[in-house]
Amino acid sequence: MTLPAAAPVAAPVPVPVAVRTDFRDARALYELSLPFLRSGALRARTPADYRRAADAFLVVRGPDGAPEACAALRVLVPGPGHPPTGVLHNLCVRADRQGRGLGGLLVAAVLAHARRSALSAVVTATTGDGALFVRHGFAEAPAAAAPPSWAAELDPSRGSRVFRRLL
């Protein structure tokens, strides 16, 4: 008696996760961000800027190990009347990977990192509609609701909208 052949088992689809990065990923972070820099969605930054801030980034890596999406959390120096706050910035998803939940995964990972860092709030600015941030509990806020050190960096000519999430 012969038994029927077992059906082939499909390889499990890897679940994307956000991981910390370091200076070795600086060039890849810059290249991932370049389309957003060129469009004006991100403020101008140089490869050296990414090297200095690389340890503030979380990335989602593709099968080849290269970053497919990134976001950073910068902790602000607390000012009078403002609780310990972080800035979620440089949220980028490679064009061919957009619409697959990577941006939301990164926003959630940044918020979790902010909580572990004992921050009370996270702010961000976008030239887009902010729907992704709203889905993660952010609310549109006036720039004055953010720490002045960060609000002063906003360029009014870019038309950015500020969003804040209390933790």
Side-chain angles (χ1 to χ4, degrees):
M1 166 178 188
T2 60
L3 296 174
V9 177
V13 176
V15 176
V17 295
V19 297
R20 293 294 298 262
T21 186
D22 62 30
F23 70 94
R24 292 171 292 194
D25 284 314
R27 175 51 88 177
L29 292 169
Y30 175 74
E31 290 172 1
L32 177 62
S33 303
L34 202 50
F36 301 90
L37 293 165
R38 288 181 179 144
S39 74
L42 289 178
R43 290 185 325 168
R45 291 187 178 94
T46 67
D49 293 329
Y50 284 91
R51 186 173 178 84
R52 279 189 296 277
D55 64 344
F57 277 84
L58 297 173
V59 296
V60 176
R61 296 188 187 283
D64 63 356
E68 294 186 333
C70 68
L73 176 68
R74 178 170 51 123
V75 177
L76 299 173
V77 176
H82 290 279
T85 301
V87 175
L88 186 162
H89 67 95
N90 211 108
L91 176 61
C92 300
V93 178
R94 206 172 74 192
D96 63 334
R97 297 290 288 150
Q98 291 179 5
R100 298 181 184 189
L102 299 182
L105 184 146
L106 282 166
V107 171
V110 165
L111 291 171
H113 181 58
R115 283 186 202 93
R116 287 191 305 273
S117 300
L119 298 178
S120 298
V122 174
V123 294
T124 192
T126 181
T127 57
D129 65 10
L132 173 63
F133 300 114
V134 170
R135 284 195 303 272
H136 287 272
F138 285 78
E140 191 163 3
S149 61
W150 177 73
E153 296 175 9
L154 295 173
D155 178 358
S157 68
R158 295 183 66 232
S160 295
R161 296 168 61 192
V162 173
F163 290 82
R164 181 177 68 171
R165 163 83 191 260
L166 299 176
L167 302 176

